[in-house]
Amino acid sequence: MESTVAQKLEAIYNLQLIDSRLDAIVKVRGALPEEVQDLEDEIAGYETRLDKFKTDIESFEDEIKRFKENIKESEKLIKKYQDQQMNVRNNREYDAITKELELQDLEIQVSKKKISEAGMKIDQKKVDLEELNDLMKDRQKDLDLKKNELDTIVSESESEEGKLQADRDKAMKKVDDRLVKSYTKIRANAKNGLGVVMVKRGACGGCFNTVPPQRQADIREKKKLIVCEHCGRILAGVEDEVEEENTKTKRRSAKA
């Protein structure tokens, strides 16, 4: 059986009341969730940089090993060429071996220079790594404080929030999908999170623009869904000033 417009308005307005209470709970948390997320992202970025530093250090250490092997190889060749030089038969052979000795000596000098440069790079990377570790520790302390603060706030409202979420799930089942989509879209564009409002004192309860009397009469009848022509919010009903005054009078009488 299809719901009447009045039932649809009642269901969507009830959903709005629940969402407003959930919004109030979330508002108490302020910017903490975003701050926690930002810190977690920042630390994750630092961890990536740390891994890069460690990889760079390993790469430079591999370079040093390679150049040390080059030096050993060149030293072997130098000994070999020196032995050959002792048994040359002519100047041409002697000059050729001498050039080979000079070449291997140059290879050793270049390798030693590369080893020194790689060592300096390792030292700098280790300094950077230590500084980044210190920075990470500081940011981790900030994150732990923020998370503890957020956890405390969340735990205080956890029971109420759980109940409201259960109520919301039930309320959602009473609203058709098309209306939920419209409501969700309006809420997303509203600063105060209100997608469904009442007309109060002749004005929209969301944007406070005046609602004409004839339009108010149509809203009271609840024969069709009517939205505010200024902000697009769904107008669920009209709260009459007379009813409000009677309520206030009853409250004053009860206190007296």
Side-chain angles (χ1 to χ4, degrees):
M1 183 177 176
E2 190 176 346
S3 302
T4 64
V5 172
Q7 288 171 329
K8 288 180 180 180
L9 285 170
E10 182 181 358
I12 197 70
Y13 186 60
N14 182 47
L15 180 61
Q16 175 66 77
L17 293 176
I18 295 169
D19 279 338
S20 292
R21 283 153 70 189
L22 284 167
D23 289 345
I25 290 173
V26 172
K27 190 175 181 181
V28 172
R29 298 169 191 169
L32 275 174
E34 289 79 11
E35 290 172 2
V36 167
Q37 185 62 57
D38 288 344
L39 282 168
E40 287 176 341
D41 292 344
E42 185 179 345
I43 290 171
Y46 291 152
E47 287 173 345
T48 301
R49 286 177 62 190
L50 279 176
D51 290 339
K52 179 68 166 58
F53 285 155
K54 290 174 182 176
T55 301
D56 289 345
I57 289 172
E58 288 174 0
S59 177
F60 292 136
E61 287 174 343
D62 288 341
E63 275 188 26
I64 289 173
K65 287 179 183 177
R66 189 168 69 253
F67 287 125
K68 284 183 176 179
E69 289 297 322
N70 288 347
I71 290 173
K72 287 181 181 179
E73 187 63 31
S74 292
E75 287 174 343
K76 286 180 183 178
L77 288 172
I78 286 173
K79 189 175 185 312
K80 174 186 170 184
Y81 292 140
Q82 284 175 338
D83 290 341
Q84 288 178 356
Q85 201 173 38
M86 299 296 292
N87 299 307
V88 294
R89 290 170 293 182
N90 53 55
N91 288 339
R92 184 178 176 184
E93 287 182 6
Y94 183 88
D95 290 341
I97 292 173
T98 299
K99 286 182 180 179
E100 286 295 335
L101 286 168
E102 289 174 352
L103 181 62
Q104 294 306 318
D105 186 59
L106 183 60
E107 283 288 335
I108 289 172
Q109 291 179 43
V110 170
S111 293
K112 286 181 177 179
K113 183 182 178 184
K114 294 291 185 182
I115 288 170
S116 177
E117 289 173 352
M120 290 172 65
K121 288 176 181 177
I122 287 173
D123 291 340
Q124 184 57 54
K125 289 290 179 182
K126 286 181 176 178
V127 170
D128 293 341
L129 192 146
E130 189 175 347
E131 288 177 352
L132 190 56
N133 264 322
D134 290 340
L135 180 58
M136 266 187 70
K137 287 175 184 176
D138 289 339
R139 301 310 279 163
Q140 187 62 52
K141 287 178 183 176
D142 292 340
L143 175 59
D144 292 341
L145 286 172
K146 295 285 185 185
K147 285 184 81 171
N148 287 337
E149 188 179 349
L150 180 59
D151 288 344
T152 300
I153 294 172
V154 169
S155 64
E156 289 173 352
S157 58
E158 192 172 10
S159 177
E160 183 185 359
E161 189 175 4
K163 184 180 180 305
L164 284 171
Q165 193 60 55
D167 291 343
R168 188 180 195 278
D169 292 340
K170 291 177 184 177
M172 283 280 285
K173 293 176 182 178
K174 297 179 181 179
V175 186
D176 64 66
D177 292 341
R178 287 179 61 189
L179 191 53
V180 167
K181 285 180 182 178
S182 298
Y183 165 73
T184 303
K185 187 176 180 181
I186 296 167
R187 251 176 68 80
N189 294 323
K191 289 182 179 179
N192 55 10
L194 295 176
V196 183
V197 295
M198 301 291 284
V199 175
K200 298 180 181 180
R201 298 184 182 277
C204 169
C207 66
F208 309 112
N209 278 294
T210 301
V211 178
Q214 182 55 51
R215 199 166 183 79
Q216 289 185 44
D218 293 337
I219 295 166
R220 282 192 182 92
E221 288 182 357
K222 297 186 177 182
K223 290 183 178 179
K224 60 181 178 179
L225 290 173
I226 297 174
V227 299
C228 175
E229 58 188 13
H230 298 284
C231 66
R233 289 179 173 88
I234 299 168
L235 300 172
V238 179
E239 289 186 2
D240 294 313
E241 291 183 42
V242 176
E243 291 179 4
E244 291 178 7
E245 288 300 323
N246 288 339
T247 302
K248 289 177 183 178
T249 303
K250 288 178 181 178
R251 286 176 182 170
R252 283 198 293 269
S253 299
K255 288 180 181 178

